[in-house]
Amino acid sequence: MTTTLLTGIGLLATQDDELGELTDAALLITGDRVGWLGPATDAPAADRRLDLAGRCVLPGFVDSHAHLVFAGDRAAEFAARMTGQPYTAGGIRSTVTATRAAGDELLRANLARLAAELHAAGVTTFECKSGYGLDVDTELRSVRLAAEQTSEVTFLGAHVVPAGVDRSDYLDQVRGPMLAACAPHARWVDVFCEAGAFDVAESRAVLQAGIAAGLQPRLHANQLTASGGVQLAVELGAASADHCTHLAPSDIDALAGSSTVATLLPLVEFSTRSPYPDARALLDAGATVALATDCNPGSGFSTSMPLAIALAVREMRMSPAEAVRAATVGGARALRRDDIGRLAVGQRADLVVLDAPSYLHLAYRPGVPLIQQTWIGGVPV
Amino acid sequence: MTTTLLTGIGLLATQDDELGELTDAALLITGDRVGWLGPATDAPAADRRLDLAGRCVLPGFVDSHAHLVFAGDRAAEFAARMTGQPYTAGGIRSTVTATRAAGDELLRANLARLAAELHAAGVTTFECKSGYGLDVDTELRSVRLAAEQTSEVTFLGAHVVPAGVDRSDYLDQVRGPMLAACAPHARWVDVFCEAGAFDVAESRAVLQAGIAAGLQPRLHANQLTASGGVQLAVELGAASADHCTHLAPSDIDALAGSSTVATLLPLVEFSTRSPYPDARALLDAGATVALATDCNPGSGFSTSMPLAIALAVREMRMSPAEAVRAATVGGARALRRDDIGRLAVGQRADLVVLDAPSYLHLAYRPGVPLIQQTWIGGVPV
């Protein structure tokens, strides 16, 4: 196997509890894996050497929550919201109309473009949800297209009840033919558990059907209201409860006492002018926290994991180290992945090189494109 | 002269009160100027044609406030601040130490790198201040280096009193030999009028000395306290009062009744976790508002005018159109320039092409690098 030595690493932030942060470091890529890492002076020989001139290297970001299969945009809805119109779940339906009308080639091109944006923003693994089809054909097209780009595909037929369809009939459809069609192409099942979307009982029924079909559960929980979604996620052993914007103390306790990751999505609070989740309470209670983009055309159309990190520091009082951890190993845990999110021997060689000496700069230099290189499986993209 | 026709412009936001916004537009560049603009169907012949495929075109951003001549960074100070340490003017002195120790080549390379970042962020004109030298030699080096990159050079010897120098002696030096050395290389004189820096009487004395030496005044005013700086800026007919974070109603009235632009710097409030200026009160009173980056290593190390626009919308309740106006024609007014900041026949062909159909996307897609092309004087950079 070809070996590549990245040397001259100013700061190597491994996100590995044993390895910690190394200065003046080097990292050997062997095939698609990390073969060795340590002080640059101890580095082994390699087929190729790349001197990073003091730059910082991190694990690639793991974006565990994104909605990337859709057509159209909602810039006008955003502008209206900024003048005071509240965000509700209902706007999703306008994207559904555009997505159903789009051909596969348009949806594929849109998804590829957003995937390229994510890579340029340092994301090396992303999850991708369906949920803008809301009929069997378009949901199936959505998960198939998503599976062309990522192994982390989520069936989100239960995003909202589509216009003109009876609620009970729709839930039967989601748990029946839609799930049957989509499950072979997906790993996860998700529900938007929220006022205006699905209540706790409905969400439980959909997630249980998904589990029975071989999918693993994750949940949109407590975004706009204290909906009970977090408790449901913990009850079902979901990998992640996403948003967590409105939490009761009992929700925080439940997350801290479980293996369910609290995935925070501050780009959504930014773009909906909402209060930010209480990350400090979650971290201080011992919950595992992830950061993700939630890139979607309605509540937050950003692929910028670096801005999510900057917002986590500025608005949620996470330290820069906590924020980077949440965007790497936190995201990996939210996807129940052990091969990514850390840099250690045997891990997948997914990493980012910053055009900066430290990961502090991700928060210190907000809005500046600092991702100089993104490597996935040992290959620069 | 060579002519280039930009056609297929989805939305051309001219920032010109008469021309307004044009859809399905084209723009002819003749030499370094705008030669014609209008509906694409009426476009004249040209030596070259470039089809922008529906993208949005704006005037280039005018960044009227930036501190770009320095060495070192203050990432650790930033991280400490995010855990609760307040921002004070005193941190400037650590950058002064690093800047004095740096050779011209290092300072030139740092400045060139930041200028390239600004261009990539859509900035076509930027102001650049001295103020990290604080002795005659280093201030002179600073304005000379700045003048290599921009015609908008500002002498800011009165940034803070340097360590180990008597306050009165320093003010004599600034108004005497330092001003005499720097004035031939600068257009503007500026003072950091603030608690911990210079009071109103001291600021007035420095600005008046600068005016007597042929420079035009601008002022750091009301950033950390209601310092009286805004009233001084209006009294002296300054082109701009910058920051305006803490304003009394009388300050707003003074700005609205003057030709002094209120330059807002929300990236600083972001990076110092401070309350944002009351842009709505300024706009509603009729003041001219500009947005600028204030890129500097202490209070906000960002070159991202797009993020400044997104913050203006999210945090200061400016509409996207008001924010873009402030970042273009507002910045031009803050530099008393009539040849930039708008797109109209005869204006300099400084413009940005967004990888988006509308300028709304600058706020709708925060953190996403949407500047596809930056043209300065009719040439892509």
Short mmCIF file of all heavy atoms in Angstrom, two decimals, chain A residues 168-218:
data_model
loop_
_atom_site.label_atom_id
_atom_site.label_comp_id
_atom_site.label_asym_id
_atom_site.label_seq_id
_atom_site.Cartn_x
_atom_site.Cartn_y
_atom_site.Cartn_z
N SER A 168 -53.93 10.13 9.24
CA SER A 168 -53.87 8.71 9.60
C SER A 168 -53.45 7.86 8.39
O SER A 168 -52.62 6.95 8.50
CB SER A 168 -55.23 8.29 10.14
OG SER A 168 -55.27 6.91 10.33
N ASP A 169 -54.01 8.19 7.23
CA ASP A 169 -53.62 7.48 6.01
C ASP A 169 -52.12 7.66 5.74
O ASP A 169 -51.43 6.72 5.33
CB ASP A 169 -54.39 8.01 4.79
CG ASP A 169 -55.86 7.63 4.82
OD1 ASP A 169 -56.23 6.78 5.67
OD2 ASP A 169 -56.63 8.19 4.01
N TYR A 170 -51.64 8.89 5.97
CA TYR A 170 -50.22 9.13 5.68
C TYR A 170 -49.33 8.31 6.61
O TYR A 170 -48.34 7.71 6.18
CB TYR A 170 -49.87 10.62 5.77
CG TYR A 170 -48.45 10.86 5.31
CD1 TYR A 170 -48.09 10.64 3.98
CD2 TYR A 170 -47.44 11.23 6.20
CE1 TYR A 170 -46.78 10.79 3.55
CE2 TYR A 170 -46.14 11.38 5.78
CZ TYR A 170 -45.80 11.17 4.45
OH TYR A 170 -44.51 11.31 4.03
N LEU A 171 -49.70 8.27 7.89
CA LEU A 171 -48.88 7.49 8.83
C LEU A 171 -48.90 6.01 8.45
O LEU A 171 -47.86 5.33 8.56
CB LEU A 171 -49.39 7.70 10.26
CG LEU A 171 -48.91 9.03 10.86
CD1 LEU A 171 -49.75 9.42 12.07
CD2 LEU A 171 -47.43 8.94 11.26
N ASP A 172 -50.03 5.52 7.99
CA ASP A 172 -50.08 4.13 7.51
C ASP A 172 -49.14 3.92 6.32
O ASP A 172 -48.45 2.90 6.22
CB ASP A 172 -51.51 3.76 7.09
CG ASP A 172 -52.43 3.60 8.29
OD1 ASP A 172 -51.92 3.50 9.43
OD2 ASP A 172 -53.66 3.60 8.08
N GLN A 173 -49.13 4.91 5.44
CA GLN A 173 -48.28 4.82 4.25
C GLN A 173 -46.79 4.81 4.65
O GLN A 173 -46.00 4.02 4.13
CB GLN A 173 -48.60 6.02 3.35
CG GLN A 173 -48.09 5.90 1.94
CD GLN A 173 -48.49 7.12 1.11
OE1 GLN A 173 -49.01 8.11 1.63
NE2 GLN A 173 -48.23 7.05 -0.18
N VAL A 174 -46.43 5.73 5.56
CA VAL A 174 -45.03 5.82 6.00
C VAL A 174 -44.58 4.50 6.60
O VAL A 174 -43.49 3.99 6.29
CB VAL A 174 -44.85 6.96 7.02
CG1 VAL A 174 -43.47 6.89 7.69
CG2 VAL A 174 -45.03 8.32 6.34
N ARG A 175 -45.42 3.92 7.46
CA ARG A 175 -45.02 2.68 8.15
C ARG A 175 -45.17 1.46 7.26
O ARG A 175 -44.66 0.39 7.59
CB ARG A 175 -45.86 2.51 9.42
CG ARG A 175 -45.51 3.53 10.49
CD ARG A 175 -46.34 3.31 11.73
NE ARG A 175 -47.76 3.50 11.44
CZ ARG A 175 -48.75 3.14 12.26
NH1 ARG A 175 -48.47 2.53 13.40
NH2 ARG A 175 -50.00 3.38 11.93
N GLY A 176 -45.90 1.62 6.17
CA GLY A 176 -46.16 0.48 5.28
C GLY A 176 -45.32 0.54 4.02
O GLY A 176 -44.11 0.30 4.05
N PRO A 177 -45.92 0.89 2.90
CA PRO A 177 -45.21 0.78 1.61
C PRO A 177 -44.01 1.71 1.48
O PRO A 177 -43.02 1.35 0.83
CB PRO A 177 -46.31 1.13 0.58
CG PRO A 177 -47.41 1.78 1.35
CD PRO A 177 -47.35 1.25 2.74
N MET A 178 -44.08 2.89 2.09
CA MET A 178 -42.94 3.82 1.95
C MET A 178 -41.71 3.28 2.67
O MET A 178 -40.60 3.27 2.13
CB MET A 178 -43.34 5.20 2.48
CG MET A 178 -42.45 6.33 2.03
SD MET A 178 -42.92 7.89 2.82
CE MET A 178 -44.43 8.29 1.95
N LEU A 179 -41.93 2.82 3.89
CA LEU A 179 -40.83 2.21 4.65
C LEU A 179 -40.29 0.97 3.92
O LEU A 179 -39.06 0.80 3.80
CB LEU A 179 -41.31 1.84 6.05
CG LEU A 179 -40.32 1.08 6.94
CD1 LEU A 179 -39.07 1.91 7.22
CD2 LEU A 179 -41.00 0.69 8.26
N ALA A 180 -41.18 0.15 3.43
CA ALA A 180 -40.74 -1.08 2.74
C ALA A 180 -39.89 -0.74 1.52
O ALA A 180 -38.89 -1.41 1.24
CB ALA A 180 -41.96 -1.90 2.32
N ALA A 181 -40.27 0.32 0.81
CA ALA A 181 -39.51 0.71 -0.38
C ALA A 181 -38.15 1.30 0.00
O ALA A 181 -37.14 1.06 -0.68
CB ALA A 181 -40.32 1.73 -1.20
N CYS A 182 -38.11 2.09 1.06
CA CYS A 182 -36.90 2.87 1.37
C CYS A 182 -35.90 2.11 2.24
O CYS A 182 -34.69 2.36 2.16
CB CYS A 182 -37.30 4.17 2.06
SG CYS A 182 -38.20 5.31 0.97
N ALA A 183 -36.39 1.21 3.10
CA ALA A 183 -35.50 0.59 4.09
C ALA A 183 -34.27 -0.08 3.46
O ALA A 183 -33.17 0.00 4.03
CB ALA A 183 -36.28 -0.40 4.95
N PRO A 184 -34.41 -0.74 2.30
CA PRO A 184 -33.21 -1.39 1.74
C PRO A 184 -32.09 -0.41 1.39
O PRO A 184 -30.94 -0.83 1.21
CB PRO A 184 -33.74 -2.08 0.47
CG PRO A 184 -35.21 -2.25 0.72
CD PRO A 184 -35.62 -1.07 1.53
N HIS A 185 -32.40 0.87 1.26
CA HIS A 185 -31.41 1.87 0.84
C HIS A 185 -30.94 2.75 1.99
O HIS A 185 -30.17 3.68 1.76
CB HIS A 185 -32.01 2.75 -0.26
CG HIS A 185 -32.58 1.96 -1.39
ND1 HIS A 185 -31.79 1.40 -2.37
CD2 HIS A 185 -33.85 1.59 -1.66
CE1 HIS A 185 -32.57 0.73 -3.22
NE2 HIS A 185 -33.82 0.83 -2.82
N ALA A 186 -31.43 2.49 3.20
CA ALA A 186 -31.15 3.40 4.32
C ALA A 186 -30.55 2.64 5.50
O ALA A 186 -30.65 1.40 5.59
CB ALA A 186 -32.43 4.11 4.76
N ARG A 187 -29.93 3.38 6.40
CA ARG A 187 -29.43 2.81 7.65
C ARG A 187 -30.28 3.28 8.83
O ARG A 187 -30.39 2.60 9.84
CB ARG A 187 -27.97 3.26 7.86
CG ARG A 187 -27.35 2.66 9.10
CD ARG A 187 -25.90 3.09 9.33
NE ARG A 187 -25.47 2.53 10.62
CZ ARG A 187 -24.54 3.05 11.39
NH1 ARG A 187 -23.88 4.14 11.01
NH2 ARG A 187 -24.24 2.50 12.55
N TRP A 188 -30.85 4.49 8.71
CA TRP A 188 -31.52 5.15 9.83
C TRP A 188 -32.97 5.46 9.52
O TRP A 188 -33.34 5.66 8.37
CB TRP A 188 -30.81 6.48 10.15
CG TRP A 188 -29.36 6.36 10.43
CD1 TRP A 188 -28.32 6.58 9.57
CD2 TRP A 188 -28.76 5.99 11.68
NE1 TRP A 188 -27.12 6.38 10.19
CE2 TRP A 188 -27.36 6.02 11.50
CE3 TRP A 188 -29.28 5.65 12.94
CZ2 TRP A 188 -26.47 5.71 12.53
CZ3 TRP A 188 -28.39 5.35 13.96
CH2 TRP A 188 -27.00 5.37 13.75
N VAL A 189 -33.77 5.55 10.59
CA VAL A 189 -35.13 6.08 10.49
C VAL A 189 -35.23 7.27 11.45
O VAL A 189 -34.70 7.24 12.57
CB VAL A 189 -36.20 5.01 10.81
CG1 VAL A 189 -36.02 4.42 12.21
CG2 VAL A 189 -37.61 5.59 10.65
N ASP A 190 -35.89 8.33 10.99
CA ASP A 190 -35.98 9.59 11.74
C ASP A 190 -37.41 10.11 11.62
O ASP A 190 -38.12 9.78 10.65
CB ASP A 190 -34.97 10.59 11.13
CG ASP A 190 -34.75 11.85 11.95
OD1 ASP A 190 -35.43 12.06 12.96
OD2 ASP A 190 -33.88 12.65 11.52
N VAL A 191 -37.81 10.92 12.59
CA VAL A 191 -39.12 11.57 12.58
C VAL A 191 -38.93 13.00 13.06
O VAL A 191 -38.11 13.26 13.95
CB VAL A 191 -40.13 10.85 13.51
CG1 VAL A 191 -41.48 11.55 13.50
CG2 VAL A 191 -40.28 9.38 13.13
N PHE A 192 -39.68 13.94 12.46
CA PHE A 192 -39.72 15.31 12.96
C PHE A 192 -40.79 15.34 14.06
O PHE A 192 -41.97 15.52 13.78
CB PHE A 192 -40.05 16.27 11.82
CG PHE A 192 -39.91 17.74 12.13
CD1 PHE A 192 -39.31 18.21 13.30
CD2 PHE A 192 -40.37 18.69 11.22
CE1 PHE A 192 -39.17 19.58 13.55
CE2 PHE A 192 -40.24 20.05 11.46
CZ PHE A 192 -39.65 20.50 12.63
N CYS A 193 -40.37 15.13 15.31
CA CYS A 193 -41.28 15.09 16.45
C CYS A 193 -41.45 16.53 16.95
O CYS A 193 -40.56 17.06 17.64
CB CYS A 193 -40.69 14.19 17.53
SG CYS A 193 -41.71 14.06 19.01
N GLU A 194 -42.52 17.18 16.55
CA GLU A 194 -42.65 18.62 16.83
C GLU A 194 -44.09 19.07 16.59
O GLU A 194 -44.79 18.48 15.76
CB GLU A 194 -41.71 19.40 15.89
CG GLU A 194 -41.55 20.87 16.19
CD GLU A 194 -41.13 21.10 17.63
OE1 GLU A 194 -39.97 20.77 17.98
OE2 GLU A 194 -41.98 21.58 18.40
N ALA A 195 -44.49 20.12 17.31
CA ALA A 195 -45.77 20.76 17.02
C ALA A 195 -45.81 21.13 15.54
O ALA A 195 -44.85 21.71 15.02
CB ALA A 195 -45.93 22.01 17.87
N GLY A 196 -46.87 20.74 14.85
CA GLY A 196 -46.98 21.01 13.42
C GLY A 196 -46.46 19.87 12.57
O GLY A 196 -46.66 19.86 11.36
N ALA A 197 -45.79 18.90 13.21
CA ALA A 197 -45.30 17.73 12.45
C ALA A 197 -45.91 16.48 13.09
O ALA A 197 -47.07 16.18 12.83
CB ALA A 197 -43.77 17.71 12.46
N PHE A 198 -45.19 15.76 13.96
CA PHE A 198 -45.71 14.52 14.55
C PHE A 198 -45.55 14.55 16.06
O PHE A 198 -44.51 15.00 16.57
CB PHE A 198 -44.98 13.31 13.94
CG PHE A 198 -45.20 13.20 12.46
CD1 PHE A 198 -44.28 13.74 11.56
CD2 PHE A 198 -46.37 12.63 11.96
CE1 PHE A 198 -44.50 13.69 10.20
CE2 PHE A 198 -46.60 12.58 10.59
CZ PHE A 198 -45.67 13.11 9.71
N ASP A 199 -46.56 14.03 16.76
CA ASP A 199 -46.47 14.02 18.22
C ASP A 199 -45.69 12.78 18.69
O ASP A 199 -45.23 11.97 17.87
CB ASP A 199 -47.86 14.13 18.86
CG ASP A 199 -48.75 12.91 18.61
OD1 ASP A 199 -48.21 11.82 18.31
OD2 ASP A 199 -49.98 13.05 18.72
N VAL A 200 -45.56 12.65 20.00
CA VAL A 200 -44.71 11.59 20.54
C VAL A 200 -45.24 10.21 20.19
O VAL A 200 -44.48 9.32 19.79
CB VAL A 200 -44.56 11.76 22.07
CG1 VAL A 200 -43.90 10.52 22.69
CG2 VAL A 200 -43.74 13.00 22.39
N ALA A 201 -46.55 10.01 20.29
CA ALA A 201 -47.11 8.68 20.00
C ALA A 201 -46.92 8.32 18.53
O ALA A 201 -46.54 7.19 18.20
CB ALA A 201 -48.60 8.66 20.37
N GLU A 202 -47.16 9.28 17.67
CA GLU A 202 -46.97 9.03 16.24
C GLU A 202 -45.49 8.75 15.94
O GLU A 202 -45.15 7.85 15.15
CB GLU A 202 -47.44 10.25 15.43
CG GLU A 202 -48.95 10.47 15.49
CD GLU A 202 -49.38 11.85 15.01
OE1 GLU A 202 -48.54 12.80 15.02
OE2 GLU A 202 -50.55 12.00 14.63
N SER A 203 -44.63 9.54 16.56
CA SER A 203 -43.19 9.36 16.32
C SER A 203 -42.75 7.99 16.78
O SER A 203 -41.97 7.30 16.10
CB SER A 203 -42.40 10.45 17.06
OG SER A 203 -42.77 11.74 16.62
N ARG A 204 -43.24 7.55 17.96
CA ARG A 204 -42.88 6.23 18.48
C ARG A 204 -43.31 5.14 17.50
O ARG A 204 -42.53 4.22 17.19
CB ARG A 204 -43.52 6.00 19.84
CG ARG A 204 -43.10 4.65 20.46
CD ARG A 204 -43.85 4.34 21.76
NE ARG A 204 -43.42 5.17 22.87
CZ ARG A 204 -44.13 6.13 23.45
NH1 ARG A 204 -45.36 6.41 23.00
NH2 ARG A 204 -43.66 6.83 24.45
N ALA A 205 -44.50 5.29 16.98
CA ALA A 205 -45.01 4.27 16.06
C ALA A 205 -44.16 4.17 14.80
O ALA A 205 -43.84 3.08 14.32
CB ALA A 205 -46.46 4.57 15.71
N VAL A 206 -43.76 5.30 14.26
CA VAL A 206 -42.93 5.29 13.05
C VAL A 206 -41.55 4.72 13.34
O VAL A 206 -41.02 3.89 12.59
CB VAL A 206 -42.83 6.71 12.44
CG1 VAL A 206 -41.82 6.74 11.29
CG2 VAL A 206 -44.20 7.18 11.96
N LEU A 207 -40.95 5.16 14.44
CA LEU A 207 -39.60 4.66 14.76
C LEU A 207 -39.64 3.15 15.01
O LEU A 207 -38.75 2.41 14.56
CB LEU A 207 -39.03 5.39 15.98
CG LEU A 207 -38.69 6.87 15.78
CD1 LEU A 207 -38.16 7.47 17.09
CD2 LEU A 207 -37.69 7.10 14.66
N GLN A 208 -40.68 2.69 15.72
CA GLN A 208 -40.76 1.24 15.99
C GLN A 208 -40.93 0.45 14.69
O GLN A 208 -40.34 -0.63 14.53
CB GLN A 208 -41.89 0.96 16.97
CG GLN A 208 -41.53 1.38 18.39
CD GLN A 208 -42.66 1.20 19.39
OE1 GLN A 208 -43.84 1.31 19.02
NE2 GLN A 208 -42.30 0.96 20.65
N ALA A 209 -41.71 0.99 13.77
CA ALA A 209 -41.85 0.32 12.47
C ALA A 209 -40.51 0.28 11.75
O ALA A 209 -40.14 -0.73 11.14
CB ALA A 209 -42.89 1.04 11.61
N GLY A 210 -39.77 1.37 11.82
CA GLY A 210 -38.46 1.42 11.19
C GLY A 210 -37.50 0.41 11.80
O GLY A 210 -36.75 -0.28 11.09
N ILE A 211 -37.51 0.33 13.12
CA ILE A 211 -36.64 -0.64 13.81
C ILE A 211 -37.00 -2.06 13.37
O ILE A 211 -36.11 -2.88 13.08
CB ILE A 211 -36.77 -0.47 15.34
CG1 ILE A 211 -36.20 0.90 15.78
CG2 ILE A 211 -36.07 -1.61 16.08
CD1 ILE A 211 -36.57 1.32 17.19
N ALA A 212 -38.29 -2.32 13.26
CA ALA A 212 -38.74 -3.65 12.83
C ALA A 212 -38.28 -3.96 11.41
O ALA A 212 -38.09 -5.13 11.04
CB ALA A 212 -40.26 -3.75 12.92
N ALA A 213 -38.09 -2.91 10.62
CA ALA A 213 -37.61 -3.08 9.24
C ALA A 213 -36.09 -3.09 9.14
O ALA A 213 -35.54 -3.06 8.04
CB ALA A 213 -38.19 -1.98 8.35
N GLY A 214 -35.41 -3.07 10.30
CA GLY A 214 -33.96 -3.18 10.30
C GLY A 214 -33.22 -1.86 10.35
O GLY A 214 -31.98 -1.84 10.24
N LEU A 215 -33.94 -0.76 10.49
CA LEU A 215 -33.28 0.55 10.58
C LEU A 215 -33.00 0.90 12.04
O LEU A 215 -33.62 0.36 12.96
CB LEU A 215 -34.16 1.62 9.94
CG LEU A 215 -34.54 1.38 8.46
CD1 LEU A 215 -35.43 2.51 7.94
CD2 LEU A 215 -33.28 1.25 7.61
N GLN A 216 -32.08 1.83 12.25
CA GLN A 216 -31.76 2.31 13.60
C GLN A 216 -32.37 3.69 13.79
O GLN A 216 -32.37 4.51 12.87
CB GLN A 216 -30.25 2.35 13.80
CG GLN A 216 -29.58 0.98 13.70
CD GLN A 216 -28.08 1.09 13.90
OE1 GLN A 216 -27.62 1.53 14.94
NE2 GLN A 216 -27.32 0.71 12.89
N PRO A 217 -32.86 3.99 15.00
CA PRO A 217 -33.59 5.24 15.20
C PRO A 217 -32.72 6.45 15.56
O PRO A 217 -31.70 6.32 16.23
CB PRO A 217 -34.53 4.90 16.36
CG PRO A 217 -33.77 3.89 17.16
CD PRO A 217 -32.97 3.09 16.16
N ARG A 218 -33.14 7.61 15.09
CA ARG A 218 -32.64 8.93 15.49
C ARG A 218 -33.84 9.86 15.40
O ARG A 218 -34.85 9.52 14.77
CB ARG A 218 -31.48 9.39 14.63
CG ARG A 218 -31.74 9.31 13.12
CD ARG A 218 -30.47 9.33 12.25
NE ARG A 218 -29.55 10.34 12.68
CZ ARG A 218 -28.39 10.09 13.32
NH1 ARG A 218 -28.03 8.84 13.55
NH2 ARG A 218 -27.61 11.06 13.71
#
